[in-house]
Structure formats: C-alpha cells, structure tokens
Amino acid sequence: MNIHEYQGKEILNSFGVRIQRGIVAHNATEAVNAAKELTEQTGTGWHVIKAQVHAGGRGKGGGVKLAKNLKEVEEIAGDIIGMNLVTPQTSAEGKKVHQVLVAEDVYYPGDSETSEIYMSVLLNRATGRNMIMYSTEGGVDIESVAEKTPHLIFNEEIDPTVGLLPFQARRIAFNLGLSGTAFKEMVKFVTALYTAFEKSDSSLFEINPVLKTSDDKILAVDAKVTLDDNALFRHKDYAEMRDIREENPTEVEAKEVGLNYVDLDGNVGCMVNGAGLAMATMDLIKQAGGEPANFLDVGGTADAKRVEEAFRIILKDEKVEAILVNIFGGIVRCDRVAQGIVDAYKNLGDKINVPIIVRLQGTNADIAKELIDNSGLKIHSAVEFQEAADKVQEVLS
Ligand code: GDP
Ligand code: MN
C-alpha cells in the first residue's frame, strides 16, 4: 500500500528520523494557518507548498513551490489544490490534488554547503536481503543518474539475522563524502531510517532528497513509503492511512469482490484461476504478439457469480478488444466453470461486445468444451494453451 509523503514522514518521525517539518492543508485558508503555526515552531517565514498525490516527480510537474510570505502561501496552495497534476509518473490526465503539505523551507538561498542525497531502503529479491541504496547525486534527476552514471549509486546489503551494523552506517556516511558533525548526523539518520523500515514492515522507503543543510543537519525532505499489505494487520494506524482516491477505481472494486486484478495497458483481457497461470497466460499472449490488458486471478472457486463479476471488471476497461479465459480445473470442475461462463454471458447480454476465447483444461474438460460449443453463444473454445493465444490474435486481426 502506498501512502502520501506527509504520512510517510509521520512514520519516519515516530522512529526518530529527522524530517522537514510540515502540516497538511485541504484549502488555502488551512494552508495559511499551517504556515503561521509552522513559523511559530521553526522560526522560518518561508514555506514550501507540496502537492500530496501518490506519484513522484511532483517538482517537475509544478506541484512543489516555494512561498516567501503568507500571501504566496495562500495563492500557491489555492492553485495547487484542485489541479490535475501531471508528472513523469502519472498518466497524461494527471492526478487530482486534494491536499498539500505546507512544509518549512529547509534550503538556504545560494548556499553551496547544502547537498541533496538520494537514499532508499528496499528488499533485494536476488539475495533475499534488505539493502540501502544511496548516492550523492540526489534530487529530481536520480533516474538519469541510474541510467548514465550508475557507478555513482552505492548499495549496502544488510544481513537480516544481525540487522544494520554500526560500521555499515559509517561506511554509508563515508561514501557520501561527509565528515565531522554531518558524518555523525548521517550515521544517526541511517540507523533510525533502517529501524523505521523494519519496524513499520515497509517494502520500500525512497527518500529523495535527504538533505544535508549548511549547518550539518541531515533530514528527510521527501518520503515515498510503501507498506507491506500483508503486515497491515499489525499496524491498524497505518492501515487507516489508505487513500483510495489515489488508487485505480477498478482495482479497488475488484478487491471489494475478492478478485485479484491489476490494470495494464494492452488490449487482451485475461481471466485466469491462479496467479502463476495468470502470469504464464500473460507471457503467452505477449509471445503470440498481443498485449495483456490486465492481470486477473479469479481464485480457486471460479463459479458463475465470480466469472460474471470478473467479466464486468474486465469490460470496464475500454481498451479491451478480446477476452481470453484460461482456467485449469484442478479444485474446480471445468464443466461448472463452463456453465458459469455461459450463464454469465447470458446475464451480461449485450454488455459483452468483444470476442471471448475460452480454454478449459483439467477435470471434465471435454464436457466443458461441449457445453461451450453447443451454447450457441459467440465463444471460441480452445484446448491447447498455444491454440488459445493464437485464436486471440486471429480474432484481433
Ligand atoms: P518530488 O518532485 O515529487 O520528488 O518532490 P520532492 O519532495 O522531492 O521535492 C522536489 C524538489 O523540490 C526537491 O528536490 C527540492 O529541490 C525542492 N524542495 C523541496 N523542499 C524544499 C525546500 O524546503 N526549499 C527549497 N528551496 N526547495 C525545496
Ligand atoms: Mn523527491
């Protein structure tokens, strides 16, 4: 589950990670009050107004702006709230901004002693260990650093049985070229950050930038935090941070009816039982020259009701030009699924406006094929996996 920057910073702060302080606001008046309150706390009169949406690259899209006085806070917050923010990480329509973070300005103008560092904590699936990835080249263009000068990005791998060791935190501070107070502050920062990562059951922290101020403070200016859904039962307070306005509406709806659905860019809708078979199906569609429109695992019990719900969800996507149903009847009998498909087709009537290719394999597959073939409906049946993928291409061309 992804959360907003301000929520990520709250979590970091609760584990002693120093952050750029801020207060969230939902309209221009709230923003002005937030700025006043912050000035009382921090003494700084300048503020940064930051759009809170689940997408990075906000600075590039005009969603992060400096306000030098309260009038500017009011104007900028008023402009940003309600806008559709388009960034390199959103779709062309962008994301609607419902709230901003009014944050203390932590950059001192013209200060060459300030530096932006990149730091993330994530699981390296290849080694099965967490790692801290970091670079002196933080800021808004880390993607091009990774592409053009990958040697400027360092990794520190952490043994899960012993956790982050003090020498590792020191190595990070050293590789970042820090000394004196900044070095010590970085060691503290990294240590607290790693503790926060483990204790919060997060799957990703991306702090870009971590700022070294001219007076040698180290603080998180940005926070992209992804929490592990499977651990949310342990963190009721984090679970409440969910903002479903930021999520794909069809994916939210699918989750509500218990379907495992991920929206993708292609034109071939897929309905499959089992995550592994769903992935194999997507591979085969691609191999046959097509592009999957979604990942959809209907689960073990592919009965008529679920099949119908799955069709409804897939058909919401206007890009879908054909649907491939690929079911393996292991736990569930193929003839029951076939009956489910036929019933769902009849119930949905003219809502089904694209060709459907069905491949059922496993228990009673032959009876299932007969059911489909004799249904009188416009469903193409296939026996072999490859045959099914080829039929999809046939109906599309
Ligand atoms: P992102 O663009 O979505 O990654 O949002 P960030 O939170 O990283 O902010 C983007 C950029 O805004 C940062 O890289 C900084 O250069 C700038 N920025 C953020 N906070 C401040 C601040 O307090 N003062 C100034 N002057 N710039 C800031
Ligand atoms: Mn950032």
Side-chain angles (χ1 to χ4, degrees):
M1 175 176 111
N2 290 331
I3 54 176
H4 288 291
E5 172 198 358
Y6 80 93
Q7 297 165 321
K9 281 176 164 171
E10 263 168 35
I11 294 178
L12 296 184
N13 188 43
S14 73
F15 290 100
V17 179
R18 193 193 284 261
I19 54 162
Q20 174 194 41
R21 286 166 293 183
I23 298 170
V24 78
H26 302 87
N27 55 52
T29 316
E30 276 184 34
V32 171
N33 291 335
K36 283 183 190 157
E37 198 179 324
L38 269 178
T39 302
E40 271 173 34
Q41 286 175 26
T42 66
T44 53
W46 289 19
H47 297 96
V48 196
I49 313 297
K50 311 181 79 179
Q52 298 298 292
V53 290
H54 289 188
R58 294 164 303 161
K60 280 184 181 162
V64 178
K65 291 208 167 121
L66 186 64
K68 297 199 240 5
N69 52 50
L70 291 177
K71 190 163 167 288
E72 286 185 8
V73 169
E74 190 174 5
E75 279 168 16
I76 295 169
D79 287 347
I80 294 182
I81 296 168
M83 82 187 279
N84 271 334
L85 182 63
V86 181
T87 86
Q89 293 183 20
T90 66
S91 65
E93 302 98 72
K95 285 205 138 177
K96 180 136 180 128
V97 183
H98 300 284
Q99 50 197 352
V100 292
L101 180 63
V102 179
E104 59 173 330
D105 173 30
V106 286
Y107 291 61
Y108 311 112
D111 188 349
S112 58
E113 296 298 304
T114 309
S115 59
E116 290 187 320
I117 293 160
Y118 173 89
M119 191 169 289
S120 56
V121 190
L122 67 163
L123 173 67
N124 179 348
R125 290 176 193 277
T127 60
R129 294 173 175 211
N130 288 330
M131 67 181 182
I132 299 177
M133 206 185 269
Y134 61 102
S135 173
T136 51
E137 309 303 302
V140 293
D141 273 317
I142 191 67
E143 286 79 10
S144 69
V145 176
E147 209 175 290
K148 292 179 194 138
T149 49
H151 60 280
L152 296 177
I153 297 179
F154 296 93
N155 282 331
E156 187 70 46
E157 291 238 346
I158 294 120
D159 185 331
T161 56
V162 290
L164 178 75
L165 293 170
F167 86 89
Q168 294 183 293
R170 289 198 295 273
R171 178 154 64 196
I172 292 172
F174 178 79
N175 283 340
L176 287 169
L178 303 172
S179 59
T181 309
F183 185 98
K184 285 195 200 119
E185 289 295 311
M186 181 54 82
V187 170
K188 263 199 249 166
F189 183 91
V190 170
T191 310
L193 190 71
Y194 191 73
T195 304
F197 182 79
E198 282 204 311
K199 293 261 167 73
S200 62
D201 287 312
S202 288
S203 54
L204 173 74
F205 273 4
E206 188 179 47
I207 318 295
N208 185 28
V210 172
L211 190 76
K212 183 197 91 69
T213 63
S214 51
D215 50 358
D216 285 346
K217 288 196 196 87
I218 305 291
L219 47 97
V221 166
D222 194 4
K224 177 172 173 42
V225 169
T226 305
L227 301 164
D228 181 351
D229 287 333
N230 294 321
L232 282 178
F233 73 95
R234 283 204 282 246
H235 307 276
K236 297 274 184 303
D237 46 339
Y238 297 170
E240 281 167 20
M241 292 179 174
R242 164 157 268 139
D243 185 349
I244 59 165
R245 292 173 302 187
E246 296 291 324
E247 296 174 19
N248 177 306
T250 314
E251 289 180 10
V252 172
E253 203 186 318
K255 202 173 284 166
E256 271 160 17
V257 295
L259 296 170
N260 201 346
Y261 172 89
V262 181
D263 185 37
L264 299 168
D265 294 328
N267 57 351
V268 184
C270 320
M271 187 192 306
V272 190
N273 66 338
L277 186 59
M279 285 194 274
T281 305
M282 288 160 59
D283 283 349
L284 218 78
I285 288 173
K286 277 194 98 109
Q287 252 179 38
E291 282 292 333
N294 65 274
F295 168 97
L296 174 59
D297 172 12
V298 291
T301 53
D303 57 15
K305 195 166 158 282
R306 285 179 79 78
V307 169
E308 189 175 325
E309 272 160 355
F311 273 128
R312 271 186 214 285
I313 297 276
I314 295 174
L315 288 164
K316 275 181 192 272
D317 181 351
E318 283 166 10
K319 299 186 301 295
V320 168
E321 290 170 32
I323 298 176
L324 171 57
V325 181
N326 190 11
I327 303 280
F328 178 74
I331 301 170
V332 63
R333 270 169 28 211
C334 289
D335 54 321
R336 286 198 53 188
V337 179
Q339 193 57 51
I341 294 169
V342 173
D343 292 349
Y345 200 113
K346 286 183 178 152
N347 281 342
L348 287 165
D350 52 8
K351 284 209 192 73
I352 299 188
N353 48 7
V354 296
I356 296 178
I357 296 89
V358 176
R359 180 219 176 215
L360 290 160
Q361 257 314 352
T363 313
N364 291 355
D366 43 349
I367 306 175
K369 186 168 175 350
E370 236 167 80
L371 252 164
I372 301 265
D373 290 343
N374 297 334
S375 67
L377 299 171
K378 262 180 44 204
I379 309 177
H380 309 260
S381 68
V383 178
E384 297 303 326
F385 202 158
Q386 184 65 52
E387 182 193 353
D390 291 341
K391 276 208 171 143
V392 170
Q393 286 315 107
E394 240 173 77
V395 299
L396 284 179
S397 56

